[in-house]
Amino acid sequence: MGLDPLSAIVPARVKVLIIPFGRVRQSRFSTFVARLQQEHVVRLGDVSPDGRPHRTMFSPLAFPTGSVLYDLSTSSPPSSHLALAPFELYREPLVVVAISDGADMEERIGRELAQTFRADERTKSNPAGENITKFLSEGHEELQMGFPKALVHRIAIFDYDSPISGLPDGVVMVPSPQKSKTTTIKTFMCDLTSSLLAEMTTFAKSLQALPTLESPKQSRGSATLNGYAQNPPAQISLASGSSRPLSAGEARQSSIPSKESASTPNHLSVPTQRPSTANSRSATPDSQEASMPGPFRKPPTTFDDITGGHALSPSPQPPNPSNEILRRPGNQDTVSMHGFGVGSLGERERNKGRGRVGVVVGSLYLLAGRWPDAVRELTESATTARTNNDHLWHAKALDYILVCLLMYAWAGMDFRIPQILFPGVEKPGSSSKTSSHTPSNSVPDLKSSGPPGSPSRSVSLQSLIDLLPDLVNNILNLYARAWTFTEDKLPQLAFSESTIRFTKLLALINLSGGVLDDDGLRQLVLKANSNRVRKLSRRLTTFPTKAELKTLLFRAFPGPSTSNVVPIEDRTMILAAIASVLSELGYHRKKALVLKELLSALIPALVQARKEGAAEMGFHPAASLASLNATVEAMNPHEADPEHEFESGVQSFLTLICHIYRISPFPSISSGNQGPKERRSSNTAEYDLPDAIKARIVQQAGLKSLGNQHLKLDVLRSCIDICEALPDLAGVLRFSAEMLRTAGSGIAPGPESTGGSPTLPIEDQVRLASNISRTVSVARQLGRPNLEAEYWDEFLVRVIDHVEADVAKVPMPHAKADLAAVKAIDTHEKKNPFIYNPFMKSASSKLPEALLVAQEDAVFRVTLQNLYDIDIEIERISLESRGLPFDSSSQTTLIGPYATQTIAIAGVPRKPGSLCIIGCKVKVKGCRERSFPIFNKAWTPKTDIKISRPAIGINHIDKEQAVSDVSETSREMKLLDIQGPSTSFLAMNVIDAQPSVVLRSISLPQSAVMLLEGETKIFKVTLQNTTTVAVDMLFVSFIDSTTSQFPPSSTETKPSASETYELEYASLNKQSFRWCRANSDENIRIEPRMERTLEIEVLGKPGLSFGTIHVNYGHLGDVSKETTDQFYTRQLTIPLAITVNASVELVRNDLTPFTDDFAWQNKKRRQLTPPNTKAPSNSRRQSSISSNPKPLNGFQTLLTRIGLNSQEESHCLLLLDLRNSWPSPLTISIQIRSSNPKSQPSTESWERAYTVHEPIQPGHTSRILLLIPRIYIVNSYAPIPSLAPDAKKRQFILSTAPKPALEAELAIREAFHYREALLSHVRATWEEESTHRTGSINLRALHLTTRMVSALRLDDLEIALSIQPASSTSPSYSTLPSSLKIQQISPTKYIVPTSDFLTLRTTLTNRSPHAIHPLLRLQPALKDQPHNIALDISKKFLWNGVLQRALPVLESGESRAVDMDFAILCRGVFEIGAVAEEVQVLQREEAAGLGGEPERRVWGLREACVLVARDSENGNIVGEANSGGEA
């Protein structure tokens, strides 16, 4: 236990077999063996000699400085090893120690016996002790019967502190460690050694009595395929113990018998039976021809058979050479032992026999620690064997002598090398090395035993080191010579082990720099492994070199021809030992080849044993082995003792092979039996970390570029086959998953990539997947639900995206300043669409960050990848997060072959804050549930080759191991510097719980409405709050099809200012929807689980086909009181389908001047009407002041009212052509208000407005005549305004169209302003009398030309002419009175007398806000005459003064009259025109912003003053004018 079984000094160790006596727990048994192991080296000086004189042959007094080395083993050697005795006597267990647990003694004896024992102990008598003594005595006898070849038999009862008197011989009580002394175990071992040395005397003398000994041969009758005999004995070993309760049958076998059954021969724990060796006398001379394999060993059926710990019951023994000699006095060899008579052997044969016996006796001296006697005896025997050409025994004697010298060196003694060891003695002409030390045939001189560092000892040790290569070659050559020239053919097992032993010795010297110091000797003798730091060779030519050692080592390799001769267990051990030595030497590639050969040798044997055992047990092979696996694991509780796991040895071995072939298998963390749950959870968590996963990906990428891919797959297949044959379910899962991973591409392909397919055929992939599924199913049936594989593709999760929720559920972030903007909008009766509304943004627009709401479901889209040609069944997949509590749902799915699968997984964040989705926790069928990070980017390994050491995956190799030679140095491994993939995560912000509002009902059927143009309709919308959070902020906004009528900014043509104004006006004053609220300051609130009804008004207008109501709501809480950066709202969208049909449309319009005669007449009529007379009514159907009995129409009534209002000066005539497009009659109503709308409130001015009603039949067009008061605009050339408050900040693409001329721009502006003024005086509505539907008529289609504008416009400077009687100072030639001189028949027409002076009064009125400096020109002329005749009035028309004069500056609002006397000399019709021209521009702004200087203006008389001159007769004006009929 812990010693190297193939050490060079193995022949110096006494094999001790330790077995359990009774029922012993494994942990307790291991503790007892460990206590004995501490004293496995016994110095002869501490051993008491046997007092019997006939047993002093191996007395310790002869050499007290010697030591006995014990090799404590809990398993019996196999039959193939025992068959080599007595040629190699150290293989035979000479001591058998049965260990019993004293702590369980009372329980095993029985309750009644225990009570009797305690009662007698109180009375100082112990009748129960007699039964115990008898029990132990019988057990010792059965121990001797079960192991007859052993020289010493002991029963050691550990930890039994109760005194027992009269213990039988061979039974020892060992107290517990607490009650033991320091020398307790040492005393036990010394007593054991004393008995062994005494028994060796009898055994040696019996050997010396033999004439000869047979050489070991491979027996035909007993050799089998696996090294078992045809009648295999039960093994006397304890591979593992168990703390589980035994069954009834096992208890009967293992418990100490009661009084009734104490006499039966079968009352120990397990039957005792020794492994048999081959019968050498029945073997053929040629050991190469082995017999056909016999039947396999019977499969284990009991606890002891399974664990390898077997009982001590007697069983028949096959014959053994030494056993036959000792037990059969009638043997044929004993007849000729005296050497006399006819049947005696020849002298040569007798000498050869004595030499062989001497070799065995010398080996006994070596085992007994009597090294001088061993050297003497072996030297003599070697000389005899060499003389008689007994090459086999000669080589063995040299081997033993070498071991003796090594023991001398270990003990620190000086020695002399016997001459027999020098090859030159045998072959004088040999060129091999010879030591400078003087050879001797005698026993080494040990008179002076100096310290370990004495010069003489160092010289002797160095001489031995120099001799070793030749000595080893000599020994191996002697074995080969015996194989070639004699019938004594050394079995392959013995030859291979000897070669390995010598190679390990030489390798130790080589790795120590050509020296063998004390550390090396201690490693050689005491320990199997050493932690010594290897030294680099000080001499590159240290003999032998590594290459020579490699060649020597491969002589031990069992060839294919030995497959039927060497048992599989021996072949496995040899190959493993060769691989171990190659590893020490640094030949890892050759080690890989040897290990692969080892796998090839193991697999057929394990599979065959599995079939044979299952067939004998009556089970299917898989079922029987699974049961066996479960039974073994039940008896080996890994949780209690993790150092003795069942799979640890095999899986470590297979892992080592994988590492050599550049395979890094999955760690054994998934079997569920690695240790406590806490430790497994910690290992699993570290294994699933993203950094660990990326490191594995990089490591696998590096390993894929090293080695041969097909060779790796072959090695993994072999590992799977071995694990299946053992059976090792965890290993099957581990290596099956690793094979799939190794065969995979190990990349993350992009969306357009076609690579990534595995290198395994589809059939192999399906087979591996089925194997994993089947193994996991069997493990669950056996009670191991945690036994699962690791998933083989790290790139399982590729993308995780947040699926946007319903638009009504998306929270929209807002700044606190948005609240002020909303309040500003709500304060206006008409919402200005051009004021920024932060809630008009659609919730479907892309948000800068993803937002989740606490306590609400969120859906994520997960994309999974499968690059293999098999289906991957996902049993469970959930999201993994960090930062906040997050409850994820689980989903199941199936990923098809070489495909990606997208699934939706929901989760609920529990608290507000920052949430990070880092990956998924996935449970693949047959695999462990583990975490997978997100690899959303394509990745393929890009390597930079660097020279480095050690290589990837070879971390187990000692970094300080020396390089063997130049060729190995040139083959250093290549380390690949690979940039690993990058993982990603999905960061999200979780906000507080928000309210959720749904549409409860709407008054519109199917959310659709049909309207006529200009018609309005009110409908109701009912909202419900479905959450427990109140809605304390509600804002309603609208979007319809007409809001997109603005031309996009990307168009090349810039819209004109008037067009832009029309669009803005329609959006501002003709909004399609309006929220009807009684109080705009009311705070709308919807309590949890409550409802609220809203009233919405919709207006029918052209282009309105659909509309959307956006209800923005949220829970502000204290956001209005506290300083909060952000708040969130949600938006409920209510779509509406709208149909708008045409009603009444304006087809055409016209504006013409209208005379002022009607107004003058109405005023004159009012003046003539007596005060008590009732004024004309304002009713719509009022007759005129004439006595016409016919009723007046609407226009006539309007004419009777002109001029009655003092504010009305002049009018123009508006003509509107209106068409009814609706299939029902409609009555139109047009209102005209004459007063300035700015001077009176809007409602009051329209109440005083005149209304015209006109029915229109379907499809008909009606012309409506309207009198519109003429309008004065202060600055008609002002820029066209914009209704948008941010008009100055608006941006447009610069137009490539040419700009209009200045005159055209002024005309456009003037027409715009007068049109707006006109529309402010007129409005129209329609009504369908049958349905009482009403609506407004859109008059904004009205268009004004320059002619229309001039008809509507009032000039800045008004010129009026009037005829007045002449002043008193003027001469008068007329005899008429002044009152009859002038007759005014219209505002601008007078009848005047001839030849009389009159006064022409010109009145100038300045309406503009600025002063005007006018120049007045008067132009009299004949009416209705050609231009040249009309101006020839010098003999017809006289005036006093000048016709053109400059007037003083006329201030704003000032009127000035200018008089001029004139006289008409003849009858006729004359007209006087007047023109006022601006002398200089004092101040004006109408052309500002258009470039150029302001020009002087000219105003003319709107209607010329007509004078009808008549002669006066008899005081009256009579006659007619010559030129017309205006008389």
Side-chain angles (χ1 to χ4, degrees):
M1 299 181 63
L3 298 177
D4 187 2
L6 293 178
S7 175
I9 54 93
V10 164
R13 296 173 182 167
V14 178
K15 186 173 288 295
V16 179
L17 179 62
I18 303 178
I19 60 175
F21 181 71
R23 188 175 65 178
V24 185
R25 295 177 182 271
Q26 178 187 356
S27 58
R28 300 274 295 172
F29 182 80
S30 301
T31 303
F32 301 151
V33 175
R35 294 181 64 185
L36 296 178
Q37 184 68 31
Q38 295 174 359
E39 300 294 338
H40 72 284
V41 179
V42 178
R43 185 175 177 272
L44 293 181
D46 299 333
V47 179
S48 301
D50 193 290
R52 292 170 289 184
H54 61 283
R55 296 195 175 187
T56 58
M57 181 176 177
F58 296 94
S59 174
L61 299 178
F63 189 62
T65 57
S67 299
V68 177
L69 306 179
Y70 288 103
D71 183 9
L72 306 182
S73 176
T74 58
S75 60
S76 178
S79 302
S80 57
H81 288 225
L82 297 176
L84 296 175
F87 179 72
E88 292 179 345
L89 193 60
Y90 63 88
R91 297 180 184 273
E92 184 78 31
L94 300 181
V95 180
V96 178
V97 178
I99 293 180
S100 178
D101 189 358
D104 295 336
M105 179 67 74
E106 293 183 2
E107 182 182 354
R108 293 198 306 268
I109 294 175
R111 187 180 303 274
E112 180 180 355
L113 183 59
Q115 293 176 355
T116 302
F117 175 75
R118 286 194 294 268
D120 294 338
E121 185 180 17
R122 288 193 298 269
T123 60
K124 301 303 179 183
S125 62
N126 190 9
E130 298 178 359
N131 295 333
I132 297 177
T133 303
K134 182 179 179 182
F135 166 73
L136 296 175
S137 177
E138 292 176 354
H140 189 267
E141 291 178 1
E142 293 185 3
L143 187 65
Q144 291 177 335
M145 295 173 60
F147 299 92
K149 291 185 179 181
L151 301 181
V152 180
H153 304 82
R154 286 286 185 275
I155 295 178
I157 304 176
F158 281 78
D159 294 358
Y160 191 82
D161 300 329
S162 301
I164 298 178
S165 59
L167 285 177
D169 294 337
V171 180
V172 180
M173 308 295 292
V174 181
S176 61
Q178 294 78 10
K179 297 184 179 181
S180 297
K181 299 180 181 180
T182 307
T183 59
T184 298
I185 301 299
K186 184 176 182 180
T187 302
F188 172 78
M189 297 299 294
C190 290
D191 294 342
L192 191 67
T193 305
S194 178
S195 301
L196 175 63
L197 296 178
E199 296 298 331
M200 277 186 175
T201 302
T202 305
F203 183 60
K205 289 181 178 181
S206 65
L207 289 176
Q208 290 175 350
L210 297 176
T212 186
L213 293 174
E214 291 291 336
S215 299
K217 293 183 175 63
Q218 188 72 27
S219 174
R220 284 181 181 271
S222 61
T224 62
L225 177 63
N226 287 333
Y228 297 108
Q230 290 184 355
N231 299 318
Q235 298 296 312
I236 47 176
S237 64
L238 183 70
S240 60
S242 177
S243 59
R244 66 175 177 86
L246 301 179
S247 62
E250 294 170 337
R252 287 193 298 269
Q253 286 187 347
S254 61
S255 62
I256 297 178
S258 61
K259 296 179 180 180
E260 292 79 2
S261 61
S263 60
T264 60
N266 191 20
H267 56 269
L268 292 183
S269 61
V270 284
T272 60
Q273 193 173 12
R274 282 297 308 274
S276 62
T277 58
N279 189 356
S280 60
R281 298 190 182 277
S282 63
T284 59
D286 190 1
S287 62
Q288 292 182 359
E289 299 177 0
S291 61
M292 294 299 294
F296 284 96
R297 178 185 176 187
K298 183 178 180 180
T301 57
T302 64
F303 159 73
D304 304 285
D305 293 336
I306 293 172
T307 59
H310 299 280
L312 307 175
S313 63
S315 60
Q317 296 292 326
N320 182 276
S322 59
N323 194 24
E324 291 176 0
I325 295 171
L326 295 176
R327 293 186 177 273
R328 292 187 297 167
N331 190 284
Q332 59 180 352
D333 292 334
T334 61
V335 175
S336 59
M337 64 182 297
H338 301 289
F340 299 101
V342 179
S344 63
L345 297 175
E347 183 67 22
R348 183 182 180 87
E349 294 297 327
R350 287 197 301 271
N351 293 336
K352 183 186 295 186
R354 282 197 305 273
R356 294 183 176 185
V357 172
V359 172
V360 177
V361 173
S363 67
L364 286 174
Y365 278 114
L366 176 61
L367 294 173
R370 295 272 297 272
W371 304 324
D373 298 323
V375 172
R376 184 188 65 252
E377 187 70 28
L378 291 171
T379 301
E380 295 175 356
S381 301
T383 304
T384 302
R386 182 183 61 185
T387 304
N388 295 282
N389 291 328
D390 195 358
H391 305 301
L392 185 62
W393 290 85
H394 178 203
K396 180 54 65 178
L398 297 180
D399 186 1
Y400 287 156
I401 294 173
L402 174 60
V403 175
C404 290
L405 298 182
L406 293 175
M407 297 307 296
Y408 276 130
W410 169 73
M413 300 178 184
D414 189 15
F415 58 88
R416 290 187 179 182
I417 301 175
Q419 190 175 5
I420 190 66
L421 296 182
F422 291 91
V425 177
E426 182 180 3
K427 296 180 180 180
S430 176
S431 60
S432 61
K433 293 181 180 181
T434 58
S435 176
S436 59
H437 195 74
T438 304
S440 172
N441 284 327
S442 62
V443 179
D445 185 9
L446 301 175
K447 295 182 295 181
S448 59
S449 178
S454 60
S456 58
R457 174 179 174 273
S458 301
V459 173
S460 301
L461 187 58
Q462 186 61 43
S463 300
L464 180 61
I465 293 174
D466 294 338
L467 178 62
L468 272 178
D470 289 336
L471 178 59
V472 169
N473 287 331
N474 187 25
I475 295 174
L476 296 181
N477 290 335
L478 288 174
Y479 285 148
R481 191 178 303 172
W483 183 276
T484 304
F485 299 105
T486 66
E487 295 180 355
D488 297 331
K489 302 183 184 300
L490 183 66
Q492 180 67 34
L493 172 64
F495 179 79
S496 297
E497 288 192 356
S498 298
T499 305
I500 294 171
R501 287 174 43 237
F502 296 146
T503 307
K504 295 186 74 171
L505 175 61
L506 295 174
L508 176 63
I509 298 173
N510 182 281
L511 295 175
S512 299
V515 297
L516 187 61
D517 52 9
D518 294 335
D519 290 340
L521 290 170
R522 281 192 295 270
Q523 176 186 352
L524 184 66
V525 176
L526 299 179
K527 297 182 179 179
N529 297 312
S530 175
N531 294 328
R532 300 173 63 244
V533 177
R534 295 188 180 96
K535 302 177 182 178
L536 292 176
S537 179
R538 293 190 297 269
R539 298 177 298 169
L540 294 178
T541 59
T542 299
F543 183 80
T545 62
K546 287 187 177 182
E548 292 171 337
L549 291 178
K550 175 195 64 177
T551 304
L552 175 64
L553 179 64
F554 273 104
R555 295 181 65 180
F557 191 87
S561 60
T562 62
S563 58
N564 294 330
V565 178
V566 181
I568 186 61
E569 56 185 359
D570 295 337
R571 187 180 184 87
T572 301
M573 183 188 65
I574 293 171
L575 293 176
I578 294 174
S580 176
V581 178
L582 289 174
S583 178
E584 293 290 329
L585 295 175
Y587 291 100
H588 302 291
R589 296 182 183 179
K590 294 179 175 58
K591 171 187 175 182
L593 295 176
V594 173
L595 292 179
K596 191 172 185 301
E597 181 66 24
L598 174 59
L599 295 180
S600 301
L602 280 176
I603 293 173
L606 292 175
V607 173
Q608 185 64 23
R610 171 177 164 180
K611 294 179 180 178
E612 294 287 342
E616 292 188 10
M617 296 175 67
F619 294 102
H620 190 273
S624 63
L625 290 174
S627 301
L628 177 61
N629 187 294
T631 306
V632 171
E633 292 174 357
M635 295 184 297
N636 292 273
H638 306 289
E639 298 286 348
D641 193 5
E643 294 181 358
H644 298 84
E645 294 183 357
F646 177 71
E647 306 96 340
S648 59
V650 176
Q651 290 208 24
S652 298
F653 167 67
L654 297 178
T655 301
L656 175 64
I657 297 177
C658 292
H659 279 305
I660 295 173
Y661 280 93
R662 304 303 188 266
I663 304 171
S664 180
F666 289 107
S668 301
I669 67 172
S670 57
S671 64
N673 296 311
Q674 281 71 29
K677 293 182 179 179
E678 294 79 5
R679 185 175 64 186
R680 292 202 308 269
S681 300
S682 176
N683 293 340
T684 302
E686 294 178 359
Y687 184 83
D688 294 344
L689 290 177
D691 292 340
I693 293 175
K694 290 191 291 185
R696 287 198 302 273
I697 293 174
V698 172
Q699 183 188 40
Q700 288 297 319
L703 292 176
K704 287 182 182 296
S705 60
L706 300 175
N708 184 273
Q709 181 76 357
H710 298 287
L711 189 58
K712 293 179 182 180
L713 298 179
D714 290 341
V715 170
L716 289 173
R717 286 191 187 95
S718 301
C719 294
I720 295 173
D721 293 340
I722 288 180
C723 293
E724 288 180 344
L726 284 176
D728 181 5
L729 301 182
V732 172
L733 296 177
R734 181 187 181 195
F735 293 106
S736 297
E738 178 57 35
M739 189 171 181
L740 286 172
R741 180 171 72 169
T742 303
S745 60
I747 66 172
E752 304 297 332
S753 177
T754 58
S757 300
T759 56
L760 270 180
I762 300 179
E763 296 78 9
D764 291 345
Q765 299 180 46
V766 174
R767 188 180 303 109
L768 289 173
S770 302
N771 195 22
I772 292 175
S773 179
R774 183 173 59 255
T775 304
V776 171
S777 177
V778 171
R780 291 177 179 173
Q781 295 175 6
L782 298 176
R784 298 184 64 182
N786 295 328
L787 186 62
E788 294 173 323
E790 288 288 338
Y791 188 65
W792 42 88
D793 187 7
E794 303 289 355
F795 297 100
L796 177 61
V797 179
R798 294 304 307 274
V799 179
I800 297 182
D801 292 329
H802 176 234
V803 179
E804 294 293 341
D806 184 9
V807 178
K809 297 289 186 180
V810 176
M812 301 291 294
H814 297 279
K816 187 178 179 181
D818 294 346
L819 288 176
V822 172
K823 292 180 180 179
I825 295 174
D826 283 342
T827 54
H828 293 79
E829 182 179 356
K830 294 183 180 180
K831 295 182 180 180
N832 193 334
F834 304 103
I835 298 178
Y836 169 69
N837 185 358
F839 297 99
M840 287 296 291
K841 183 187 298 184
S842 175
S844 60
S845 58
K846 189 66 175 177
L847 297 179
E849 60 176 351
L851 294 177
L852 302 182
V853 181
Q855 305 299 331
E856 290 190 11
D857 289 342
V859 181
F860 298 86
R861 182 172 52 248
V862 181
T863 302
L864 304 176
Q865 164 187 287
N866 176 23
L867 297 181
Y868 292 80
D869 299 319
I870 55 177
D871 292 331
I872 302 299
E873 182 178 352
I874 306 295
E875 294 182 347
R876 183 170 58 256
I877 178 173
S878 59
L879 298 175
E880 271 199 323
S881 64
R882 66 185 179 193
L884 292 176
F886 182 79
D887 297 339
S888 174
S889 63
S890 297
Q891 298 290 337
T892 60
T893 186
L894 182 69
I895 311 177
Y898 201 81
T900 58
Q901 179 73 24
T902 301
I903 61 174
I905 302 178
V908 180
R910 295 302 178 187
K911 294 182 180 180
S914 296
L915 178 67
C916 185
I917 305 297
I918 60 175
C920 290
K921 200 172 188 65
V922 185
K923 174 66 175 67
V924 181
K925 183 178 181 181
C927 299
R928 177 181 66 89
E929 185 176 19
R930 51 159 293 194
S931 300
F932 289 89
I934 307 171
F935 295 99
N936 57 358
K937 296 182 180 179
W939 179 81
T940 301
K942 297 180 181 179
T943 60
D944 295 330
I945 299 180
K946 297 182 179 179
I947 303 299
S948 180
R949 185 179 178 90
I952 296 177
I954 318 298
N955 297 329
H956 63 282
I957 302 173
D958 193 349
K959 295 181 180 179
E960 299 187 15
Q961 181 173 335
V963 182
S964 61
D965 51 17
V966 178
S967 61
E968 185 69 15
T969 305
S970 62
R971 292 194 298 269
E972 288 185 342
M973 308 300 176
K974 292 182 178 180
L975 178 64
L976 301 177
D977 186 12
I978 300 175
Q979 184 68 29
S982 59
T983 59
S984 61
F985 58 88
L986 181 61
M988 311 192 74
N989 187 25
V990 182
I991 62 176
D992 287 321
Q994 299 292 319
S996 178
V997 174
V998 298
L999 176 64
R1000 181 70 174 177
S1001 62
I1002 185 170
S1003 61
L1004 296 178
Q1006 298 181 356
S1007 298
V1009 61
M1010 193 278 291
L1011 301 170
L1012 295 178
E1013 288 185 13
E1015 182 183 8
T1016 60
K1017 187 172 185 180
I1018 296 177
F1019 61 92
K1020 295 182 179 181
V1021 175
T1022 303
L1023 307 178
Q1024 182 182 18
N1025 184 3
T1026 60
T1027 62
T1028 58
V1029 182
V1031 176
D1032 55 7
M1033 194 280 290
L1034 186 69
F1035 180 79
V1036 180
S1037 57
F1038 309 95
I1039 295 179
D1040 58 83
S1041 57
T1042 62
T1043 57
S1044 60
Q1045 294 179 357
F1046 286 95
S1049 60
S1050 59
T1051 56
E1052 292 186 1
T1053 303
K1054 175 183 175 180
S1056 63
S1058 58
E1059 292 174 351
T1060 303
Y1061 181 88
E1062 287 299 319
L1063 295 175
E1064 293 173 350
Y1065 182 89
S1067 300
L1068 178 62
N1069 298 290
K1070 298 293 183 178
Q1071 296 181 10
S1072 302
F1073 294 93
R1074 184 174 65 90
W1075 181 16
C1076 301
R1077 298 173 60 183
N1079 184 7
S1080 60
D1081 296 333
E1082 180 186 2
N1083 186 17
I1084 304 298
R1085 184 180 179 89
I1086 306 178
E1087 298 297 333
R1089 312 294 183 186
M1090 300 301 291
E1091 298 179 357
R1092 187 66 182 257
T1093 301
L1094 306 179
E1095 291 186 354
I1096 309 297
E1097 181 185 76
V1098 57
L1099 170 65
K1101 61 180 182 178
L1104 181 62
S1105 59
F1106 66 89
T1108 304
I1109 305 175
H1110 294 286
V1111 181
N1112 295 274
Y1113 61 92
H1115 178 75
L1116 301 180
D1118 296 334
V1119 70
S1120 58
K1121 300 179 181 179
E1122 305 294 336
T1123 55
T1124 305
D1125 294 336
Q1126 267 190 337
F1127 68 95
Y1128 297 89
T1129 63
R1130 283 177 167 170
Q1131 188 179 85
L1132 176 63
T1133 302
I1134 305 175
L1136 299 175
I1138 304 173
T1139 302
V1140 178
N1141 295 321
S1143 55
V1144 177
E1145 58 181 339
L1146 178 63
V1147 177
R1148 66 184 64 87
N1149 66 279
D1150 194 8
L1151 270 173
T1152 60
F1154 188 73
T1155 179
D1156 296 335
D1157 294 350
F1158 294 96
W1160 179 78
Q1161 292 178 0
N1162 292 335
K1163 288 181 180 181
K1164 189 174 181 180
R1165 186 182 301 113
R1166 173 178 291 183
Q1167 294 174 357
L1168 297 178
T1169 303
N1172 56 354
T1173 304
K1174 187 177 180 180
S1177 175
N1178 289 334
S1179 64
R1180 186 169 53 178
R1181 301 300 180 189
Q1182 181 66 33
S1183 61
S1184 62
I1185 58 174
S1186 64
S1187 60
N1188 189 1
K1190 293 178 61 178
L1192 301 177
N1193 58 20
F1195 187 73
Q1196 291 175 342
T1197 304
L1198 179 62
L1199 293 178
T1200 62
R1201 300 176 64 245
I1202 296 177
L1204 299 180
N1205 191 347
S1206 60
Q1207 295 180 353
E1208 296 179 355
E1209 297 180 355
S1210 62
H1211 292 77
C1212 62
L1213 187 63
L1214 175 63
L1215 289 79
L1216 299 179
D1217 291 347
L1218 300 178
R1219 182 175 59 189
N1220 181 9
S1221 301
W1222 183 241
S1224 297
L1226 297 177
T1227 300
I1228 63 171
S1229 300
I1230 303 178
Q1231 288 182 296
I1232 305 96
R1233 56 182 177 181
S1234 59
S1235 62
N1236 188 359
K1238 296 182 181 180
S1239 62
Q1240 297 181 11
S1242 177
T1243 56
E1244 182 179 352
S1245 61
W1246 285 113
E1247 288 178 357
R1248 298 171 56 86
Y1250 178 76
T1251 305
V1252 176
H1253 301 275
E1254 183 76 20
I1256 305 177
Q1257 297 300 320
H1260 288 208
T1261 301
S1262 177
R1263 174 165 292 181
I1264 309 299
L1265 302 179
L1266 301 174
L1267 285 178
I1268 304 298
R1270 296 179 64 199
I1271 302 170
Y1272 171 74
I1273 298 177
V1274 175
N1275 187 7
S1276 62
Y1277 300 134
I1280 298 176
S1282 175
L1283 299 178
D1286 57 346
K1288 295 182 179 180
K1289 300 181 181 180
R1290 268 193 321 220
Q1291 297 180 0
F1292 293 95
I1293 301 298
L1294 294 178
S1295 176
T1296 56
K1299 293 183 179 181
L1302 178 60
E1303 294 78 5
E1305 179 66 21
L1306 292 177
I1308 292 174
R1309 291 184 180 185
E1310 186 179 31
F1312 169 81
H1313 289 293
Y1314 279 100
R1315 175 176 175 271
E1316 293 299 314
L1318 174 62
L1319 292 175
S1320 65
H1321 287 77
V1322 182
R1323 71 178 183 181
T1325 60
W1326 58 264
E1327 179 182 3
E1328 186 180 13
E1329 296 182 355
S1330 60
T1331 60
H1332 301 287
R1333 298 171 66 179
T1334 62
S1336 62
I1337 300 175
N1338 184 16
L1339 298 179
R1340 298 198 65 84
L1342 186 143
H1343 177 69
L1344 297 182
T1345 62
T1346 304
R1347 177 183 60 81
M1348 298 179 188
V1349 171
S1350 63
L1352 181 64
R1353 178 181 59 204
L1354 289 176
D1355 293 332
D1356 292 337
L1357 186 65
E1358 181 70 20
I1359 304 175
L1361 297 179
S1362 62
I1363 304 299
Q1364 301 292 335
S1367 61
S1368 58
T1369 58
S1370 300
S1372 177
Y1373 303 98
S1374 176
T1375 60
L1376 293 175
S1378 60
S1379 59
L1380 297 178
K1381 289 182 180 180
I1382 303 172
Q1383 296 181 12
Q1384 184 177 3
I1385 59 178
S1386 71
T1388 59
K1389 191 172 183 180
Y1390 294 87
I1391 299 177
V1392 297
T1394 59
S1395 303
D1396 194 4
F1397 275 93
L1398 301 175
T1399 301
L1400 176 64
R1401 177 169 293 178
T1402 304
T1403 304
L1404 301 179
T1405 304
N1406 183 9
R1407 294 193 182 97
S1408 68
H1410 308 292
I1412 299 176
H1413 191 188
L1415 173 66
L1416 179 63
R1417 292 191 181 95
L1418 298 178
Q1419 183 64 50
L1422 292 176
K1423 190 175 185 302
D1424 301 329
Q1425 295 296 325
H1427 182 68
N1428 55 349
I1429 299 176
L1431 295 179
D1432 187 12
I1433 57 173
S1434 58
K1435 296 180 180 181
K1436 301 177 182 179
F1437 192 92
L1438 299 177
W1439 62 88
N1440 183 16
V1442 293
L1443 296 179
Q1444 177 176 330
R1445 70 174 71 177
L1447 302 180
V1449 175
L1450 192 64
E1451 298 295 335
S1452 175
E1454 182 182 0
S1455 296
R1456 181 170 296 148
V1458 178
D1459 295 339
M1460 185 185 71
D1461 294 337
F1462 70 94
I1464 300 176
L1465 301 181
C1466 64
R1467 294 182 298 174
V1469 180
F1470 297 85
E1471 63 179 2
I1472 302 175
V1475 175
E1477 183 178 356
E1478 194 172 16
V1479 177
Q1480 61 178 353
V1481 179
L1482 299 179
Q1483 185 179 4
R1484 194 165 72 247
E1485 300 177 354
E1486 61 269 15
L1490 296 179
E1493 294 295 332
E1495 297 181 356
R1496 292 185 302 169
R1497 293 171 291 177
V1498 178
W1499 298 275
L1501 188 64
R1502 182 167 177 264
E1503 187 176 354
C1505 182
V1506 178
L1507 299 178
V1508 179
R1510 295 180 181 177
D1511 295 333
S1512 57
E1513 292 180 3
N1514 301 322
N1516 294 322
I1517 301 175
V1518 295
E1520 296 182 356
N1522 294 331
S1523 61
E1526 283 110 337

